[in-house]
Amino acid sequence: MRIILTTAAALAATPALAASGPFFSLGNTDFVVTIGFLIFVGIVLYFKVPSKLMGMLDTRAAGIQKDLDEARALREEAQTLLASYERKTREAQTQADEIVATARAEAQATADQARVDLEASVQRRLAAAIDQIDSARNAAVKEVRDRAIAVATAAAGEVVAKQLTASDADTLIDQSIETVSAKLH
């Protein structure tokens, strides 16, 4: 009802009233347009178009609110997932750092053990080389000694043979036989 009164008041203030001639005749185009407008407004009100428009707007507003709530929930879920992934990333980085530290420690221990093993190997080889050198030196000394004995024996044999007479040789042979015989019995 209020809409009708508002519309009538709006029409009363129009320039149509300032037109010449009777206003309420079908010959006046302003009057015909006013009647058509009032009929249009009446049809719109009869079919409850404003309430349907308001219902559609309310439905749309509810849909938008639902979308906003859903977006807010998705955002919170995304933030939760992001925090979870960041935590997992930090844990993975910590584990990676621990693995690297362990690998470095193991590599250092392996290098130290290899160094100790190498030093032991060098010491063994050095000892073996010293033993070989001592053995070669002893063999050389023995060979020189044997050769010196052979040369000295040969020289002594020649000297004795030149200075020894037949009777002295027979006496030496007899003494040797007695010495051997005494030692064997």
Side-chain angles (χ1 to χ4, degrees):
M1 186 67 153
R2 195 183 286 178
I3 294 175
I4 295 172
L5 291 176
T6 306
T7 306
L11 288 176
T14 63
L17 294 178
S20 61
F23 179 74
F24 295 108
S25 75
L26 291 177
N28 187 350
T29 57
D30 290 336
F31 176 70
V32 173
V33 170
T34 302
I35 295 293
F37 178 73
L38 289 177
I39 292 172
F40 173 74
V41 169
I43 291 172
V44 168
L45 291 176
Y46 176 76
F47 286 111
K48 299 180 182 176
V49 173
S51 63
K52 287 182 182 179
L53 285 175
M54 292 303 285
M56 289 172 58
L57 288 175
D58 288 344
T59 304
R60 175 108 191 244
I64 291 172
Q65 185 62 40
K66 179 183 167 191
D67 290 345
L68 287 174
D69 292 341
E70 189 175 315
R72 188 175 297 117
L74 287 173
R75 180 177 174 228
E76 289 173 1
E77 183 179 343
Q79 286 178 338
T80 303
L81 283 173
L82 177 64
S84 171
Y85 288 138
E86 286 176 348
R87 180 178 41 80
K88 287 179 182 178
T89 301
R90 284 191 303 271
E91 290 173 359
Q93 184 63 39
T94 302
Q95 288 177 352
D97 291 343
E98 290 174 2
I99 289 170
V100 167
T102 303
R104 283 186 180 153
E106 289 176 0
Q108 184 63 38
T110 303
D112 291 343
Q113 184 62 38
R115 191 175 298 117
V116 167
D117 292 345
L118 181 63
E119 288 177 7
S121 175
V122 166
Q123 291 298 325
R124 282 193 307 270
R125 286 184 181 182
L126 186 61
I130 290 172
D131 288 345
Q132 286 179 348
I133 291 171
D134 286 344
S135 175
R137 185 183 49 176
N138 290 339
V141 167
K142 183 178 183 273
E143 184 179 333
V144 167
R145 188 177 299 144
D146 289 345
R147 183 83 167 140
I149 290 171
V151 169
T153 305
E158 285 181 23
V159 169
V160 170
K162 285 183 185 179
Q163 294 177 353
L164 188 64
T165 63
S167 65
D168 289 335
D170 288 338
T171 306
L172 282 175
I173 290 174
D174 289 338
Q175 284 176 354
S176 296
I177 290 173
E178 285 176 14
T179 304
V180 169
S181 158
K183 288 190 178 182
L184 288 179
H185 292 293

